[in-house]
Amino acid sequence: MVIVQEADFDAAALTAALRASAGPGVGGIVTFVGYVRDYAPDTPTDTLYLEHYPGMCERELEDIAATARARWQLDGTVIVHRVGALARNAQIVFVAAASAHRGDAFRGCEFIIDALKTRAPFWKRETLAGGDSFWVEQRQSDQDRTQSWDADTPPPKETA
């Protein structure tokens, strides 16, 4: 499931839906919820405005999820990303991965959020409490994390 929306989301409901759809073999679900935080060091963030490229964005998120499902034994994934104007501390992204084994679920979830941060076509404009506004640039550390997944060989599959 991939959703890009302006509305807030219910992480518990999304987790329950994944649990219901993933089937009886699921041994665990790993979730990640990201929040709007202060980006500027001196002045608090007032809002973060996210733009996206409709259609293309959802396709890229689907591709990221499919890559995770192919690389690890995942029984299901969920990605929900918000767009529009979001206040500081608002939920911005939900990622979940379900698997029979915790290792696959943890790695799948981490891969998805890392790849999403560098591959999904979102643009972020931060507005500070004082009124100044600027586009948030991608961090090299995020790019390095995403590239490290390409360099790694997939870990061995867990067994019961």
Side-chain angles (χ1 to χ4, degrees):
M1 173 188 333
V2 168
I3 302 169
V4 177
Q5 64 187 26
E6 287 188 26
D8 199 2
F9 54 82
D10 180 339
L14 291 165
T15 303
L18 177 57
R19 177 69 181 105
S21 69
V26 169
I29 296 174
V30 173
T31 64
F32 173 83
V33 178
Y35 298 89
V36 176
R37 61 181 164 82
D38 284 333
Y39 285 89
D42 300 328
T43 307
T45 297
D46 184 49
T47 59
L48 185 65
Y49 185 81
L50 281 96
E51 292 184 14
H52 75 298
Y53 192 107
M56 180 181 168
C57 185
E58 290 85 351
R59 281 190 302 276
E60 187 61 34
L61 294 176
E62 290 281 1
D63 183 58
I64 291 167
T67 299
R69 289 190 303 270
R71 190 166 182 180
W72 295 283
Q73 291 181 344
L74 301 178
D75 297 310
T77 57
V78 175
I79 302 172
V80 177
H81 206 296
R82 295 181 65 196
V83 293
L86 303 173
R88 182 177 59 247
N89 297 323
Q91 297 183 125
I92 188 172
V93 63
F94 175 88
V95 173
S99 179
H101 304 287
R102 70 180 181 278
D104 285 337
F106 273 106
R107 285 186 286 278
C109 187
E110 188 176 17
F111 167 82
I112 290 169
I113 194 64
D114 285 347
L116 180 152
K117 287 184 65 85
T118 58
R119 290 178 38 192
F122 291 104
W123 298 273
K124 301 175 182 178
R125 185 180 69 236
E126 181 179 4
T127 300
L128 304 178
D132 290 338
S133 160
F134 58 92
W135 291 100
V136 178
E137 294 183 24
Q138 189 175 88
R139 297 182 322 196
Q140 185 60 45
S141 61
D142 290 334
Q143 190 70 6
D144 292 344
R145 281 190 61 82
T146 301
Q147 289 175 348
S148 75
W149 287 102
D150 295 335
D152 288 345
T153 55
K157 302 293 183 192
E158 292 183 8
T159 59

